[in-house]
Amino acid sequence: MALDQGNTNVGNKFGTFAGVFTPSVLTILGVILFIRAGFVVGEAGVFGALMILLIAKSITSLTALSISAISTNMEVRGGGAYFLISRVLGPEFGGAIGIALFFAQALSVPFYILGFSEALMGSFPVLIPYYLWVNLGAAALLFVVAYVGANWAIKAQYLILAMLVFALLISFAGMALDFSPATLQANWGPGYSLQDAAQPGLGKYSFWLVFAIYFPAVTGILAGVNMSGDLKDPARSIPRGTIYALGVTFVVYLILILLSGGAFDRAELIGNPYQAMKDHALFGMGFAVAGGVFAASLSSALGSYLGAPRILQAVARDRILGVIRPFAKGSAQGDEPRRALLLTGVVTLLVLLWSGSSSGGDSLNVVASVITMFFLYTYGMINLAAFIEAFGRNPSFRPRFRFFHWSTALLSALACLGVALLIDFGAAIAAALILAGLLWYIRRRDLKSTFGDARRGFVYTNVRNNLLRLANMEEDDKNWRPTILVFTGNPHSREALITYAVWMEAGRGIVLMANILPSGDNIEQDVRRRQMAENQFKEFCRSKQIQAFPVVAIGDNKESTTAHLIQSTSIGPIRPNICMFGWSHEFQSAQSLLNLLRIGSANGVSLVMVASPPDGQWILRPTQHQKLYIDVWWRGKSNGRLMIILAHLMTRNWEWSNTELRIFRVVEEEAGIEPATASLTQLIDEARVDAKVVTLLREGRSFRDILYQQSSWSECVFLGFDLPTPEREQQWFESYEALLKGMPPTVLVHALSEQDVLT
């Protein structure tokens, strides 16, 4: 399924002030400023409130740096934070956080409406019986404005901004006249009260609980970012508008904390901070304060009404989830996301109905805490995206915004996670699980992105650095891992051979699948054939869910090309230490195979051949309904150690989980049974391998008869072999053909050296 951000409709073209700065300021200086900022000062004290402001603003400021870096490094289109995350971390992460961010923004709408109604009830108590209807009426009015279009909403912002500035001036002037150093000193420390006087069991408010209530006040930076698709120049407007908005609002909140802490006593701050601001307004102009809070809270709700649908529309246009695809459609004029707006309206309606018909702040606090968790994870993802871009050192990462470093992004990402856990550990874990569930679900889908992301660059940098470190480390037996170069040819005709290679690697090493193609008369055709063979390998691995790397070479001579592959195939210092082939039941083919085996041995690798039964039937997927047996026939340390470790690694696969590993040894005399058993048992114990040692007395029987009697009904058998001299090839071939007759799949192993792989 391809992802597509394309759109034929023409969007709006707003500038920095109208499209980013004003929406951000109006969202930040919203309901929290008038309804909860004083409460935060009263509970946490002036010093605690300053710390909360500093921590919250630090997180959003560092996030703003990350946003600025990403937005100046790409062509930004609709979707805001979702677009930035998805184009760096990929569609899976982007889709998960995009859906979560939509709900965070959608929940912000009723949050601000609840704040507006709470302020309205405080100014006009006669309206308290109509609390729910006031909420629904405000939601309907804002929905209509948003439905008409962003142009009308942006124009209305200028009047709202003027009302807000006037209300702040009146409030600050009144608080300044009533300011008292003694009151400031009395309010300097915390004074946490019971969360609910009627239910003392809930306990008192705490620093982080108050932080959770306050944090939505600073989340407004995304109001401007989410308008990215409606901006004339997003790369210029997003950094400037966001940073300017952060600076201005920080100063406003700083002044408010200091003035309210010195003008109001703690009881007023905790009990009714909004009423205190009205009562202390300059010239008794409390109505101006009321007008300011009404306008600010409704404008914040309107900003979320504009932002949430645009996020959902962008996610839908990337076709990440089929169920939300209808929300991709935009209006003919302005590309307004009206379908997504309808869903946002439904979410708003449900939350308002849930909040009930009584005011008092409880519903407001609950919604604030939920929004806090959503936004913290969104900010964390934005910072993670910026960190991956910068730390990955992609040459394509060339942001025009220079005041950024990967360390600031990493610090902010960790801060977001830490603060989320401190606020509510259970909710933070639950939110993480929800995001992980979304990520898992989206990853299951066959997404083919039409846009690049930075994950490859990040992984590339880490792989490069680790390969360079690995190259400077001495090899030792303790860190031996199987790196298997398996000569498969067409993978579809040798699936069993690849399966056994993957089983023996068991997620501890690397499998390289090699195919040698004969060269033709046309170089260009050879190149195309090679590319087709590589694509065949990749498609085979994808469809079979096999983790392996393809290696394809073209050559005139199979033996020389094999030698070339063994010598040149590597991933930095990681080179094949095992070459794997399929056994041939025809002597002529076996002669050619022996030549390849000698080439591998001469080039310093161990050799493995997997022999199918003569009838060609393979046991590809052993059943788990009965006990399985893997038998290793020990005939000396030269090959035995490698056989045991490969057999042990096979049992680490889920298909072989119900397996007993048996180590067989044949002795000539009865007196040798006990020492042979003791010696092998000690070896197995020291190697920490779960296996059963079985020592057998020959009693005049041939090894072929003993092998058949003990292992013909097993699922897999390991035998060692040595390479024959050219004059003994036929005798060698015939002897092994006799051993393999009537046997299950058998793995023939030739270890190159005395390397102790069982350490």
Side-chain angles (χ1 to χ4, degrees):
M1 179 181 296
L3 304 179
D4 183 20
Q5 184 71 13
N7 175 41
T8 57
N9 298 337
V10 179
N12 301 301
K13 298 296 180 183
F14 300 125
T16 301
F17 186 78
V20 181
F21 178 82
T22 303
S24 298
V25 167
L26 289 178
T27 304
I28 296 172
L29 301 181
V31 64
I32 295 294
L33 175 69
F34 294 94
I35 305 299
R36 286 291 177 267
F39 172 83
V40 170
V41 175
E43 293 287 352
V46 174
F47 179 76
L50 291 174
M51 290 300 99
I52 288 174
L53 175 66
L54 185 61
I55 295 172
K57 282 293 185 180
S58 295
I59 293 174
T60 52
S61 296
L62 292 177
T63 303
L65 299 183
S66 299
I67 290 172
S68 300
I70 299 174
S71 62
T72 58
N73 189 61
M74 65 174 69
E75 179 187 355
V76 181
R77 289 183 280 183
Y82 157 73
F83 182 89
L84 301 181
I85 293 171
S86 64
R87 269 50 181 180
V88 178
L89 298 182
E92 302 94 342
F93 277 96
I97 204 66
I99 293 171
L101 182 56
F102 161 73
F103 281 107
Q105 290 287 109
L107 285 172
S108 295
V109 178
F111 168 76
Y112 292 122
I113 291 175
L114 288 170
F116 159 76
S117 297
E118 186 175 333
L120 188 64
M121 299 302 112
S123 299
F124 305 100
V126 69
L127 295 176
I128 291 177
Y130 307 101
Y131 177 73
L132 178 59
W133 293 107
V134 170
N135 288 337
L136 297 178
L141 176 63
L142 293 175
F143 178 85
V144 171
V145 174
Y147 192 87
V148 170
N151 270 312
W152 282 94
I154 295 296
K155 290 175 182 178
Q157 285 184 345
Y158 298 125
L159 175 61
I160 294 170
L161 183 61
M163 294 175 62
L164 179 60
V165 171
F166 182 69
L168 289 175
L169 291 175
I170 292 296
S171 299
F172 288 173
M175 284 187 279
L177 291 176
D178 294 329
F179 185 85
S180 167
T183 305
L184 180 66
Q185 185 177 3
N187 291 330
W188 186 257
Y192 297 117
S193 62
L194 291 175
Q195 294 184 46
D196 190 338
Q199 300 182 44
L202 292 177
K204 291 185 176 183
Y205 283 99
S206 64
F207 179 88
W208 292 111
L209 184 55
V210 174
F211 178 92
I213 294 172
Y214 172 80
F215 190 77
V218 299
T219 59
I221 61 171
L222 294 183
V225 176
N226 290 335
M227 297 297 293
S228 59
D230 297 87
L231 299 176
K232 182 178 181 180
D233 187 357
R236 178 184 177 88
S237 296
I238 289 176
R240 293 191 174 193
T242 303
I243 292 174
Y244 291 159
L246 276 172
V248 169
T249 55
F250 175 78
V251 172
V252 171
Y253 274 106
L254 178 63
I255 294 173
L256 175 61
I257 290 172
L258 294 174
L259 289 180
S260 63
F264 310 141
D265 60 40
R266 193 179 299 273
E268 284 185 298
L269 289 170
I270 295 177
N272 198 340
Y274 166 62
Q275 190 63 40
M277 291 181 70
K278 286 178 57 183
D279 293 342
H280 291 260
L282 186 65
F283 305 133
M285 298 179 65
F287 65 89
V289 178
V293 70
F294 299 159
S297 55
L298 290 179
S299 69
S300 298
L302 182 59
S304 297
Y305 245 141
L306 294 175
R310 282 162 171 77
I311 295 169
L312 186 61
Q313 183 185 52
V315 178
R317 283 179 174 172
D318 279 345
R319 301 180 183 179
I320 291 176
L321 292 175
V323 69
I324 63 172
R325 197 174 301 172
F327 298 107
K329 183 176 177 59
S331 63
Q333 183 176 0
D335 193 28
E336 297 289 339
R338 287 175 176 162
R339 291 183 178 179
L341 179 63
L342 288 170
L343 179 59
T344 306
V346 170
V347 172
T348 301
L349 177 63
L350 293 176
V351 173
L352 292 178
L353 291 174
W354 166 80
S355 69
S357 302
S358 61
S359 62
D362 290 340
S363 299
L364 191 65
N365 289 346
V366 171
V367 177
S369 297
V370 172
I371 293 173
T372 294
M373 206 58 63
F374 277 130
F375 276 109
L376 277 170
Y377 277 109
T378 301
Y379 287 170
M381 282 292 183
I382 292 173
N383 285 293
L384 179 63
F387 166 73
I388 287 177
E389 275 278 31
F391 192 79
R393 300 173 66 183
N394 267 343
S396 63
F397 185 62
R398 302 184 299 275
R400 294 186 178 90
F401 184 80
R402 300 298 182 185
F403 303 101
F404 170 78
H405 190 263
W406 63 262
S407 59
T408 62
L410 179 60
L411 176 63
S412 185
L414 293 175
C416 291
L417 177 60
V419 168
L421 294 172
L422 286 170
I423 289 173
D424 190 330
F425 184 85
I429 297 300
L433 291 176
I434 291 172
L435 287 174
L438 283 170
L439 177 63
W440 173 81
Y441 178 75
I442 295 172
R443 274 187 167 175
R444 292 184 61 200
R445 299 172 55 77
D446 186 19
L447 297 175
K448 296 179 181 178
S449 173
T450 59
F451 53 83
D453 59 67
R455 290 175 297 176
R456 182 181 175 88
F458 180 78
V459 173
Y460 181 96
T461 294
N462 282 279
V463 169
R464 173 189 177 275
N465 293 338
N466 287 326
L467 286 175
L468 291 172
R469 289 179 59 197
L470 190 63
N472 293 321
M473 293 180 177
E474 293 292 334
E475 293 188 29
D476 59 82
D477 295 346
K478 183 177 180 60
N479 291 302
W480 180 88
R481 289 171 179 264
T483 305
I484 304 174
L485 179 63
V486 50
F487 289 85
T488 65
N490 186 333
H492 293 284
S493 61
R494 307 292 291 279
E495 181 179 348
L497 187 62
I498 299 171
T499 301
Y500 272 86
V502 172
W503 280 338
M504 292 180 203
E505 177 262 332
R508 274 75 168 175
I510 293 174
V511 174
L512 301 152
M513 302 183 302
N515 189 6
I516 298 175
L517 303 176
S519 59
D521 298 328
N522 188 298
I523 295 178
E524 292 182 354
Q525 289 182 357
D526 285 348
V527 171
R528 285 195 294 269
R529 286 169 54 227
R530 181 180 180 277
Q531 186 62 53
M532 290 174 62
E534 279 194 356
N535 292 337
Q536 182 187 40
F537 266 138
K538 292 176 181 177
E539 177 60 26
F540 174 82
C541 290
R542 189 193 66 80
S543 62
K544 302 292 183 180
Q545 296 184 334
I546 291 175
Q547 295 179 336
F549 298 100
V551 179
V552 180
I554 295 178
D556 296 325
N557 181 278
K558 187 174 184 179
E559 294 179 2
S560 62
T561 307
T562 299
H564 171 73
L565 279 179
I566 296 173
Q567 294 167 9
S568 61
T569 300
S570 70
I571 306 173
I574 303 175
R575 307 178 62 84
N577 51 27
I578 296 174
C579 282
M580 180 179 286
F581 302 87
W583 172 265
S584 175
H585 290 285
E586 296 181 0
F587 176 64
Q588 186 175 0
S589 299
Q591 284 183 299
S592 176
L593 175 60
L594 281 168
N595 290 334
L596 300 181
L597 293 173
R598 292 191 182 99
I599 291 171
S601 180
N603 282 280
V605 296
S606 297
L607 307 171
V608 172
M609 291 184 291
V610 182
S612 68
D615 59 7
Q617 296 298 315
W618 290 83
I619 303 176
L620 288 181
R621 298 290 179 192
T623 178
Q624 291 187 331
H625 297 304
Q626 59 185 9
K627 196 165 190 176
L628 310 177
Y629 292 93
I630 296 179
D631 295 342
V632 175
W633 287 84
W634 179 275
R635 290 192 283 182
K637 291 183 179 180
S638 57
N639 298 322
R641 292 180 181 273
L642 182 58
M643 288 194 296
I644 290 176
I645 192 63
L646 292 178
H648 167 73
L649 289 174
M650 282 186 64
T651 65
R652 301 300 93 185
N653 295 275
W654 69 266
E655 298 97 331
W656 295 89
S657 58
N658 187 27
T659 299
E660 181 176 331
L661 177 57
R662 302 188 296 182
I663 314 296
F664 286 96
R665 184 173 183 178
V666 179
V667 297
E668 300 294 334
E669 299 178 355
E670 188 172 352
I673 293 179
E674 185 175 342
T677 303
S679 175
L680 266 181
T681 301
Q682 182 181 358
L683 175 70
I684 297 303
D685 289 342
E686 292 175 354
R688 304 171 304 283
V689 172
D690 187 13
K692 177 183 178 181
V693 175
V694 180
T695 305
L696 303 171
L697 187 63
R698 182 181 292 276
E699 297 179 327
R701 297 174 295 173
S702 68
F703 178 74
R704 167 72 180 83
D705 293 338
I706 298 173
L707 174 68
Y708 185 81
Q709 182 181 8
Q710 297 293 331
S711 297
S712 59
W713 47 275
S714 298
E715 277 66 40
C716 182
V717 178
F718 279 79
L719 293 174
F721 77 91
D722 292 321
L723 289 172
T725 58
E727 61 271 13
R728 296 187 66 253
E729 286 182 351
Q730 185 165 358
Q731 180 183 352
W732 177 89
F733 170 76
E734 291 173 353
S735 66
Y736 273 95
E737 270 290 287
L739 287 176
L740 297 172
K741 185 177 181 181
M743 294 296 293
T746 303
V747 180
L748 304 175
V749 176
H750 174 74
L752 179 67
S753 65
E754 289 290 331
Q755 186 178 31
D756 189 2
V757 296
L758 285 179
T759 299

